[in-house]
Amino acid sequence: YQGYQVDPEIVLSDTSKMFSPKGTRSIELTKYLVPFLSSYRGGRNESFMYGVDILDGSSLWYDYDLTSAYTSVMSILGDPEYDRARLITKEDLKSFIFEDYLYNYLAIDVSFEFPKNVKYPTIPTRVDDDVDICPREGRSVITGPEYLVASEMGCKLVVNSGVIIPFKNKKSKQGEITYSTPFRDIMKDLQT
């Protein structure tokens, strides 16, 4: 899918070209794209956090999972509009509506502290090259949906910096503004 390529000369998957002086100058890749490298992670699961079944072993344990969670989320990903990429501030985030957090590519560097009553903090923080944990407080680069969830949980969030790459908009025949979703049809086929 060519829509994610910033420049035909610099392929995003070819990091040796992307992180060359020419590559980083092409559209200031270091400013807008590099934060995304650390903001996306896999899922997590605390279903079996509290240890073994000390009864007779006949207890039922449930592990709830969302069917097709990754493909469902990928189906709403938009076509990035690199020309409108920019740095954002805490004030920008305050002016956003709910959809702005979901329908743009956001990477937000935050310092955070969850209230003591939050049993499962939601912001992942890197421990080392192989381990992410979700501590009560720390610093991390997170996405728009992670920012929304943490805010709803009463987390104190201090925005250190942020980047937004908007989705490309398109107008319907009725004048309604929507955005391009290049993966939706592929995901529908996969789920079918």
Side-chain angles (χ1 to χ4, degrees), residues 16-185:
S16 65
K17 285 185 182 172
M18 189 169 84
F19 292 113
S20 68
K22 178 184 175 187
T24 57
R25 281 193 312 268
S26 68
I27 64 150
E28 299 179 313
L29 283 175
T30 55
K31 191 189 302 180
Y32 298 124
L33 295 179
V34 172
F36 289 100
L37 298 177
S38 64
S39 67
Y40 291 95
R41 300 167 179 90
R44 63 185 255 207
N45 185 332
E46 282 92 14
S47 292
F48 300 107
M49 186 157 179
Y50 289 106
V52 299
D53 181 359
I54 58 172
L55 300 173
D56 62 4
S58 64
S59 298
L60 293 177
W61 288 73
Y62 297 95
D63 183 16
Y64 294 103
D65 193 7
L66 298 174
T67 303
S68 303
Y70 287 104
T71 53
S72 295
V73 170
M74 284 182 70
S75 73
I76 68 166
L77 293 178
D79 205 354
E81 192 165 359
Y82 294 113
D83 294 345
R84 292 181 44 220
R86 65 183 176 91
L87 299 175
I88 55 172
T89 64
K90 182 178 183 176
E91 288 71 33
D92 291 323
L93 291 172
K94 285 181 182 178
S95 71
F96 282 2
I97 60 172
F98 180 80
E99 287 79 10
D100 292 332
Y101 290 97
L102 299 179
Y103 304 129
N104 291 292
Y105 293 104
L106 287 169
I108 311 161
D109 178 0
V110 296
S111 299
F112 63 92
E113 183 178 352
F114 282 90
K116 294 197 183 318
N117 67 338
V118 171
K119 193 172 186 178
Y120 299 113
T122 58
I123 296 180
T125 303
R126 173 95 349 170
V127 173
D128 60 30
D129 288 344
D130 300 312
V131 177
D132 283 329
I133 61 169
C134 294
R136 190 165 308 286
E137 61 183 274
R139 184 171 179 169
S140 188
V141 178
I142 61 175
T143 64
E146 289 172 318
Y147 185 90
L148 277 177
V149 170
S151 296
E152 286 294 316
M153 297 172 79
C155 182
K156 291 180 196 166
L157 292 156
V158 175
V159 176
N160 302 308
S161 64
V163 171
I164 184 171
I165 301 175
F167 290 0
K168 288 182 182 174
N169 293 329
K170 60 182 181 181
K171 265 192 181 170
S172 69
K173 290 178 183 174
Q174 295 79 21
E176 181 181 299
I177 299 220
T178 59
Y179 58 92
S180 173
T181 53
F183 298 115
R184 182 160 290 159
D185 290 336

